[in-house]
Amino acid sequence: MSRAEPEQIDLGALASRSIVLCGFMGVGKTSIGRRLARRLRRSFFDLDALIVSRLGASVPDLFNSGREPLFRETEASILRDLVLASPPSVIALGGGAYDNAGSREFLREHAFVIHLDQSWQALYPALNRLRESRPLLTSRSNAEIEALYYQRRENYLLADLTVAIPRAGVTRASREVLHALMTYAAKITN
Ligand code: S3P
């Protein structure tokens, strides 16, 4: 017996907008974004992966060789092209992409941004794992990462919607993000 296809979700007034996920490193933007895209029957794009493919170098290579400015420039430019050129999709940003005021302004006009908001206490146990893969964190102490977390959070809070991300894993988090998005879409559509 075949399983019934989940119902097509109608995002009403948001149907024509790409859904963009922002939030601190390690909150699950890519995993949640992939699930969200599947459920919304949209394409999924991971901004970091597109930058790596465009520049032909890994994120650690780019940062460790002093090419963060090139990374940031490419990040902002791919993001714009993607939002303007593709049909409404789901896009996971890197943790620093929403620090760019120009990108924030652009996204406000052309997309719908969801902030995946995990508390510092929930993120804390993952710091050592994050340090291994995120060049920006490698040489920072826990206190310095905490300061960066709160500094970044001020901008993330400018997103169209902030969703609290539970510690309990990607499946539940994805469900909560979808629920919050549908509730918001229904409110502004009716
Ligand atoms: C960064 C976050 C990373 C990646 C790069 C810089 C940041 O993405 O873009 O290491 O400045 O916060 P993730 O948030 O996916 O780890």
Side-chain angles (χ1 to χ4, degrees):
M1 201 165 57
S2 64
R3 278 213 340 239
E5 274 279 299
E7 234 176 87
Q8 169 84 55
I9 293 169
D10 179 8
L11 286 186
L14 296 179
S16 62
R17 292 197 169 225
S18 280
I19 306 296
V20 175
L21 304 182
C22 73
F24 202 71
M25 290 166 262
V27 299
K29 298 180 292 292
T30 302
S31 329
I32 294 172
R34 212 169 257 134
R35 282 172 166 76
L36 201 59
R38 209 178 301 135
R39 195 61 190 84
L40 294 173
R41 300 188 194 163
R42 291 179 173 206
S43 301
F44 171 72
F45 298 99
D46 179 73
L47 192 54
D48 278 346
L50 295 174
I51 300 167
V52 164
S53 151
R54 167 86 58 91
L55 297 179
S58 70
V59 177
D61 279 351
L62 290 164
F63 277 67
N64 296 334
S65 60
R67 287 181 285 169
E68 183 179 348
L70 173 66
F71 175 92
R72 295 299 178 196
E73 204 178 285
T74 311
E75 182 176 57
S77 115
I78 293 183
L79 177 59
R80 267 169 185 265
D81 293 349
L82 195 56
V83 169
L84 294 178
S86 68
S89 56
V90 176
I91 302 168
L93 300 183
Y98 205 60
D99 263 11
N100 181 313
S103 294
R104 284 201 303 275
E105 204 168 303
F106 171 81
L107 291 173
R108 189 168 309 121
E109 200 166 322
H110 296 279
F112 184 79
V113 182
I114 305 180
H115 165 211
L116 306 185
D117 189 21
Q118 191 160 51
S119 69
W120 172 249
Q121 289 71 19
L123 201 67
Y124 192 84
L127 284 191
N128 285 339
R129 177 178 56 80
L130 289 177
R131 240 190 226 102
E132 279 167 22
S133 52
R134 281 21 181 230
L136 212 62
L137 303 183
T138 315
S139 56
R140 280 187 158 94
S141 68
N142 287 358
E144 285 167 336
I145 298 175
E146 183 177 9
L148 181 67
Y149 170 90
Y150 283 107
Q151 180 198 315
R152 287 267 173 90
R153 193 163 179 274
E154 303 222 337
N155 284 333
Y156 299 147
L157 286 171
L158 301 172
D160 298 300
L161 178 65
T162 285
V163 181
I165 296 300
R167 215 194 285 242
V170 165
T171 306
R172 188 172 143 212
S174 306
R175 254 190 248 127
E176 294 194 6
V177 173
L178 181 63
H179 177 74
L181 173 62
M182 288 169 68
T183 306
Y184 186 97
K187 207 161 65 187
I188 62 162
T189 303
N190 298 322

